[in-house]
């Protein structure tokens, strides 16, 4: 009876996709821990936005370098090999954190940031190729929802467990314990099929005219640029706002758990309410702009939790809606074309992320001139996003029909 109930509610996805989801869950546990506790670890070295920004900037540079290298290995080897590389560098990240020497803070910050960036770059190269290979366009919504539900469940469990370990034994022991999740990711990655790309991504039809010949693709690049600016701003400063409330491990964990429960409720509404993706996109933008307004108009400490809440719920709707529309355009071609297009998309994504993170190096306090400039850049990108998304979808639907790929 229980099995039938579960089967009726679990989406019917290919077996290989479920293995990818299992790897995603293991890696999300690692990413969640790093996002909260490793960044908090750097923050507690001196409550420095500079240290947090430097760690994330080094990670971003390494991420995009390894994404291209991982894409090369998708042809030379296969998806499984690239995913295994990701788990290996995750292990390097936590071992380096365990052996951290405070006197070499800047060197370790850069080195550990780069190791974590390599972890992410190889993961996303393999993950994106897996989606393009195993997933149909109409299955994207189910795939996104499952990953988000698992992600929020992990976002509840990992902070709770990690806070207990950090509180009882300190950060160093928690870094070693995270090697258990690294091992889990490694083992599950071995179950991925030996599937790679049939063509070398960096030879043949990779030029601008060849890749962007399909309708709507040029506008997708603008969508990626705007989305990257907004998401990186939200990721960096929602985290900083939490740290300004408290740098106590337990309080930071409880705040993140609370946000995870609220995001689960927001995701449930996203799945059940029959609004168009355009409506969800606008709703996300309104919530994020409201968070910016509160950030400037009300006292920082008293309203920081509400600011972060609006940022995260708005970010969920913005990411879900823009990602769904973008994925429709990407699914026009074969697997090789999609992966090549994905490589092109990395350029505006890298530019947008590094723009925010380099700007973050100049932010000394929330509300200073550098912070205001970054907020203005993020706001402008958000306001332009619906226009660019509509232009991309209009050209796509003109060729494939209204509602195609939904």
């Amino acid at each position: 009876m229980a099995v039938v109930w579960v089967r009726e509610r679990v989406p019917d996805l290919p077996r290989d996709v479920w293995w990818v989801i299992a790897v995603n869950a293991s890696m999300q546990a690692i990413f969640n821990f790093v996002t909260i506790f490793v960044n908090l670890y750097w923050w507690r070295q001196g409550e420095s936005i500079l240290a947090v920004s430097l760690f994330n900037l080094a990670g971003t540079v390494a991420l995009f370098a390894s994404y291209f290298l991982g894409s090369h290995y998708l042809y030379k080897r296969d998806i499984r090999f690239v995913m295994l590389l990701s788990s290996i560098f995750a292990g390097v990240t936590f071992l380096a954190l365990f052996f951290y020497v405070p006197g070499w803070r800047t060197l370790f910050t850069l080195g550990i940031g780069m190791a974590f960036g390599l972890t992410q770059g190889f993961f996303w190269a393999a993950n994106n190729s897996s989606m393009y290979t195993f997933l149909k366009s109409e299955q994207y919504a189910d795939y996104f929802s499952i990953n988000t539900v698992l992600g929020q469940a992990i976002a509840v469990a990992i902070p709770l467990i990690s806070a207990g370990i950090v509180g009882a034994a300190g950060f160093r022991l928690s870094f070693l314990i995270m090697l258990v999740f690294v091992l889990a990711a490694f083992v599950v990655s071995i179950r991925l099929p030996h599937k790679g790309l049939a063509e070398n991504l960096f030879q043949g039809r990779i030029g601008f005219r060849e890749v962007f010949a399909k309708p709507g693709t040029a506008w997708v690049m603008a969508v990626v640029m705007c989305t990257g600016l907004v998401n990186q701003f939200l990721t960096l400063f929602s985290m900083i706002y939490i740290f300004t409330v408290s740098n106590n491990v337990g309080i930071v964990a409880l705040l993140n758990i609370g946000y995870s429960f609220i995001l689960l409720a927001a995701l449930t509404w996203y799945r059940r309410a029959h609004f168009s993706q355009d409506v969800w996109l606008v709703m996300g933008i309104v919530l994020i702009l409201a968070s910016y307004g509160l950030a400037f108009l009300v006292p920082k400490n008293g309203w920081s939790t509400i600011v972060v809440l609006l940022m995260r719920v708005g970010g969920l709707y913005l990411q879900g809606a823009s990602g769904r529309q973008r994925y429709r355009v990407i699914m026009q071609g074969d697997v090789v074309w999609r992966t090549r297009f994905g490589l092109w998309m990395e350029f505006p994504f890298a530019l947008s992320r590094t723009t925010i993170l380099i700007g973050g190096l100049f932010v000394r306090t929330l509300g200073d001139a550098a912070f205001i400039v970054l907020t203005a850049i993020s706001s402008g990108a958000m306001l332009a996003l619906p226009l660019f998304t509509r232009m991309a979808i209009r050209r796509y639907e003109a060729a494939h029909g209204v509602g195609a790929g939904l």
Side-chain angles (χ1 to χ4, degrees):
M1 193 75 176
V3 174
V4 174
W5 184 87
V6 171
R7 285 180 177 176
E8 288 177 349
R9 286 158 178 79
V10 173
D12 183 19
L13 296 173
R15 178 183 175 184
D16 290 338
V17 174
W18 283 109
W19 282 121
V20 174
I21 291 172
V23 177
N24 287 351
S26 299
M27 296 304 293
Q28 281 188 60
I30 294 170
F31 295 161
N32 181 273
F33 179 90
V34 172
T35 298
I36 299 173
F37 292 99
V38 175
N39 279 295
L40 177 60
Y41 184 65
W42 297 125
W43 177 266
R44 290 179 66 166
Q45 304 301 312
E47 297 194 0
S48 171
I49 297 176
L50 175 64
V52 175
S53 297
L54 188 63
F55 169 72
N56 285 278
L57 180 60
T60 297
V61 173
L63 186 160
F64 292 109
S66 58
Y67 187 94
F68 280 88
L69 181 59
S71 298
H72 172 71
Y73 279 121
L74 289 173
Y75 167 70
K76 288 292 185 179
R77 299 296 295 270
D78 51 40
I79 292 171
R80 185 171 80 167
F81 176 79
V82 178
M83 198 67 84
L84 288 172
L85 283 178
S86 174
S87 60
I88 289 171
F89 278 102
V92 171
T93 300
F94 290 115
L95 285 174
L97 281 163
F98 179 78
F99 290 107
Y100 168 69
V101 178
W104 294 355
R105 174 179 166 181
T106 300
L107 181 62
F108 269 85
T109 301
L110 291 171
I112 294 170
M114 291 181 67
F116 184 58
L118 291 170
T119 302
Q120 296 178 89
F122 287 127
F123 169 76
W124 288 116
N127 179 271
N128 290 346
S129 183
S130 299
M131 285 197 303
Y132 304 151
T133 302
F134 308 133
L135 201 64
K136 297 178 181 179
S137 177
E138 59 271 18
Q139 295 172 330
Y140 177 85
D142 288 332
Y143 177 81
F144 171 77
S145 297
I146 291 170
N147 273 307
T148 304
V149 169
L150 286 175
Q152 295 309 318
I154 289 168
V156 170
I158 292 299
L160 190 62
I161 296 170
S162 299
I165 295 172
V166 172
F171 278 98
R172 294 190 71 202
L173 181 60
S174 71
F175 297 148
L176 285 183
I177 292 175
M178 285 306 297
L179 293 175
V180 174
F181 292 94
V182 173
L183 180 61
F186 189 90
V187 171
V188 177
S189 296
I190 294 175
R191 301 302 301 270
L192 292 174
H194 284 286
K195 288 187 179 181
L197 297 176
E199 299 178 36
N200 190 334
L201 296 177
F202 302 98
Q203 294 178 358
R205 299 171 297 167
I206 196 172
F208 186 88
R209 290 184 178 180
E210 290 81 4
V211 174
F212 289 88
K214 299 184 185 301
T217 50
W219 287 103
V220 166
M221 299 294 279
V223 171
V224 172
M225 182 70 187
C226 291
T227 305
L229 289 168
V230 177
N231 285 341
Q232 186 56 63
F233 182 89
L234 294 178
T235 299
L236 179 62
F237 288 103
S238 66
M239 180 170 53
I240 298 298
Y241 266 100
I242 290 176
F243 296 162
T244 61
V245 174
S246 174
N247 63 6
N248 179 274
V249 172
I251 294 176
V252 169
L254 288 175
L255 283 172
N256 279 280
I257 291 170
Y259 292 135
S260 297
F261 280 120
I262 294 173
L263 286 177
L264 278 173
L267 176 65
T268 301
W269 189 38
Y270 175 77
R271 290 203 66 188
R272 293 183 178 180
H274 300 291
F275 299 144
S276 70
Q277 296 302 319
D278 290 338
V279 171
W280 287 116
L281 182 59
V282 172
M283 192 180 303
I285 291 171
V286 169
L287 290 173
I288 295 170
L289 287 176
S291 74
Y292 293 176
L294 279 177
F296 284 107
L297 295 176
V298 299
K300 181 176 63 176
N301 291 335
W303 288 84
S304 291
T305 53
I306 304 300
V307 169
V308 176
L309 175 63
L310 293 173
M311 283 183 174
R312 294 201 171 179
V313 175
L316 172 69
Y317 293 149
L318 183 140
Q319 182 179 353
S322 63
R324 179 69 187 91
Q325 298 287 54
R326 184 171 68 244
Y327 198 75
R328 293 171 64 192
V329 179
I330 294 172
M331 291 303 292
Q332 293 180 84
D334 58 21
V335 173
V336 173
W337 177 86
R338 295 172 202 164
T339 309
R340 281 177 173 153
F341 185 63
L343 288 174
W344 274 96
M345 288 196 298
E346 291 304 307
F347 288 103
F349 191 40
L351 179 60
S352 61
R353 287 192 64 174
T354 53
T355 296
I356 297 298
L357 289 170
I358 290 173
L361 297 176
F362 298 94
V363 177
R364 294 295 175 265
T365 59
L366 297 175
D368 65 12
F371 180 77
I372 292 172
V373 170
L374 292 178
T375 305
I377 292 173
S378 175
S379 300
M382 266 193 301
L383 295 175
L385 187 57
L387 172 62
F388 293 145
T389 302
R390 176 43 45 194
M391 296 300 291
I393 295 302
R394 183 177 298 170
R395 281 159 175 73
Y396 169 79
E397 292 185 337
H400 298 280
V402 177
L406 287 173

